[in-house]
Amino acid sequence: MAAATPSDILLCLLILSLALGVLGDANPFRGVIIFIVFGLVMALSWTRLDAPDLALAEAALGAGVIGVLFLVALRKQGEKDVSLATQRLRLNSVTIISGLLLIVFIVYLGALGVFSAWKTPGKGLVEPVYESLHLTGVSNPVTAVILNYRAYDTFLEIGVLYLVMLSVFALQPDEKAKFTSTEQYDRMLRSYARGIVPFMVLAAGYLLWAGAFRPGGAFQAGAMLGGAGILLHLSRPAMLLDMRGLVARLSLVAGFFSFCILGILAMLYGFDFLQWPSHLAKHAILTVETASTLSIGLTLTGLYASVERKLISPAIFYSGEEDNP
Amino acid sequence: MIQIIINLVSGGLLIVGLFFFIAGILALWRFPDTLCRLHAITKADNLGLGFIIFAVALQVGWSVLLLKLIVVYLLILYASALNGYLIAQYAHHQDKSNEVK
């Protein structure tokens, strides 16, 4: 690994000060803007660490989608309660003690990290990862780790995303979702969305496929799909996301279920849960990645639609009349 | 010899591009209202990025990468034009509703 250059140190300081800005700024709006900048600088630092996979995911999810969700949530909050905006962190015994404890904890963790790095020099798991890369069915080491060596982690991550969507469904107001927005259609935005969304879907497909041999994969592709969904919602204020249909529900659970089914299939053939036999690994990975891309994209779009009150949850059954079937 | 000339030219273009970016940031910082800032930064950024893309294109030469660079530049132009329009539209509406009040 190359030594740290001055620009690296500058990048680290920038990340630290931005993190402080996110937490310390009394104005939530500025906090969110700093958070978005923080995400972009983090993406930059991932690029510097030769991890373009993470940089892509960080820029699309950390800065993009989450930034949008924060902004919308803030707007909704502002409509109800303005007093939160002027709340400041007060210095009293509780904040001082917890601050001191936090500092001690951070120093402890830092010392531990430095100590263990000093005690065990070497490349860690890099060599074993490359040694058995030919058995994983993919040639991109990051994808190999995410979907083969540590497929169990990814399985649980997809499960968490699914749980998030389920809880959002449960929290939907029990009234008929309706077009309450007063925003007008913006013709420029609509024509932009029309032009760009097909390219975004294409790019998502490319990212998914590229994940096998270069930076890319399900999370990046899913973020791209989610971005396309959010753009569609922005350009059509009256659009509702109806999740009651069979296709929508299946797409939502596709990632989680494909992991389950393929994992159990592997067990039936005498392997461990989520242990891919090496000659079938490529197909298994491609299947779960495709399904997960769909699920991630739909979940992200659904999260946006739900904060905008434009989500029709499958938990809601309307009796009688239907306005727009 | 040719490589040295290419390096010099692309380095110069990079510096010109950075100059426009810095000018845009200064404008964002110093100009009085949203529309003025937008006017300055959209122009300066697009021009600055154009120079930087040109500089990188000189380095990569005739290849698929060149095509990708051009596509990236076009997509950014498209998106930044739309973003500028959306922000301006919003600021305009805010101004109008403030006048009514």
Side-chain angles (χ1 to χ4, degrees):
Chain A
M1 180 171 285
T5 63
S7 64
D8 291 342
I9 297 168
L10 201 69
L11 204 58
C12 290
L13 289 178
L14 194 59
I15 288 174
L16 271 180
S17 53
L18 283 172
L20 280 178
V22 173
L23 296 174
D25 208 300
N27 180 347
F29 178 72
R30 279 178 43 171
V32 171
I33 298 296
I34 299 175
F35 179 81
I36 295 173
V37 178
F38 174 79
L40 290 175
V41 177
M42 277 298 281
L44 209 59
S45 77
W46 285 124
T47 317
R48 179 72 187 99
L49 289 169
D50 281 336
D53 291 86
L54 285 169
L56 271 174
E58 178 66 43
L61 292 173
V65 177
I66 306 216
V68 170
L69 287 180
F70 271 159
L71 283 178
V72 176
L74 205 60
R75 203 177 68 216
K76 302 277 160 188
Q77 181 71 31
E79 285 164 11
K80 284 181 207 147
D81 179 15
V82 200
S83 67
L84 196 79
T86 54
Q87 240 169 41
R88 274 179 168 278
L89 190 65
R90 292 227 175 76
L91 274 185
N92 55 29
S93 55
V94 176
T95 49
I96 289 175
I97 290 175
S98 47
L100 283 178
L101 280 179
L102 194 65
I103 289 171
V104 169
F105 186 61
I106 289 172
V107 169
Y108 172 70
L109 278 187
L112 207 67
V114 169
F115 181 68
S116 62
W118 174 60
K119 239 187 110 180
T120 54
K123 304 212 153 141
L125 291 172
V126 172
E127 274 170 24
V129 163
Y130 277 97
E131 262 166 30
S132 43
L133 196 59
H134 62 282
L135 295 173
T136 60
V138 290
S139 55
N140 178 17
V142 177
T143 309
V145 170
I146 292 179
L147 284 149
N148 199 319
Y149 300 137
R150 309 222 48 147
Y152 194 67
D153 290 10
T154 312
F155 165 62
L156 292 182
E157 275 167 24
I158 299 284
V160 167
L161 268 180
Y162 178 47
L163 278 181
V164 166
M165 205 62 222
L166 280 190
S167 23
V168 164
F169 284 155
L171 289 173
Q172 286 301 294
D174 208 20
E175 66 203 34
K176 188 156 187 168
K178 54 182 180 285
F179 175 41
T180 50
S181 173
T182 51
E183 297 161 66
Q184 294 296 310
Y185 282 86
D186 192 303
R187 298 176 71 142
M188 288 273 279
L189 188 59
R190 262 186 89 174
S191 79
Y192 176 75
R194 257 192 212 141
I196 213 75
V197 164
F199 285 107
M200 290 178 84
V201 175
L202 186 70
Y206 170 73
L207 280 173
L208 172 65
W209 181 250
F213 50 91
R214 56 164 64 186
F219 283 92
Q220 290 79 7
M224 184 64 94
L225 272 190
I230 291 174
L231 184 59
L232 276 181
H233 270 275
L234 282 172
S235 66
R236 289 150 199 265
M239 191 170 86
L240 297 174
L241 183 64
D242 192 342
M243 297 282 247
R244 289 173 299 168
L246 188 65
V247 178
R249 290 191 207 198
L250 282 181
S251 317
L252 196 62
V253 298
F256 191 65
F257 268 45
S258 63
F259 267 105
C260 288
I261 292 169
L262 287 180
I264 292 170
L265 268 181
M267 282 167 86
L268 287 180
Y269 282 94
F271 295 91
D272 275 339
F273 183 61
L274 295 178
Q275 183 193 3
W276 316 128
S278 60
H279 63 289
L280 289 175
K282 186 183 178 181
H283 303 284
I285 288 175
L286 195 61
T287 311
V288 293
E289 280 214 292
T290 310
S292 303
T293 300
L294 263 183
S295 301
I296 294 167
L298 195 60
T299 304
L300 292 176
T301 313
L303 289 180
Y304 175 77
S306 86
V307 287
E308 285 279 30
R309 293 257 178 282
K310 284 172 191 165
L311 180 72
I312 304 181
S313 137
I316 299 176
F317 293 101
Y318 303 129
S319 52
E321 88 288 352
E322 283 272 342
D323 284 354
N324 34 354
Chain B
M1 185 59 203
I2 284 190
Q3 191 55 43
I4 295 174
I5 294 173
I6 287 178
N7 282 350
L8 279 178
V9 172
S10 77
L13 287 171
L14 268 183
I15 291 171
V16 175
L18 281 180
F19 166 76
F20 278 110
F21 266 102
I22 292 170
I25 292 166
L26 263 181
L28 185 68
W29 190 21
R30 300 289 298 182
F31 276 11
D33 63 33
T34 312
L35 291 179
C36 284
R37 289 174 183 164
L38 211 58
H39 174 79
I41 200 165
T42 43
K43 283 182 169 52
D45 270 10
N46 285 342
L47 200 57
L49 190 71
F51 275 110
I52 287 176
I53 296 260
F54 197 11
V56 180
L58 279 182
Q59 291 289 333
V60 298
W62 295 104
S63 64
V64 186
L65 213 54
L66 182 68
L67 201 68
K68 287 184 188 170
L69 280 175
I70 292 170
V71 171
V72 165
Y73 188 46
L74 289 181
L75 282 176
I76 290 178
L77 280 186
Y78 194 5
S80 93
L82 180 90
N83 280 337
Y85 160 78
L86 284 177
I87 297 173
Q89 187 87 343
Y90 184 74
H92 187 60
H93 279 304
Q94 292 288 93
D95 281 355
K96 261 202 206 159
S97 56
N98 282 348
E99 274 169 25
V100 172
K101 277 172 196 167

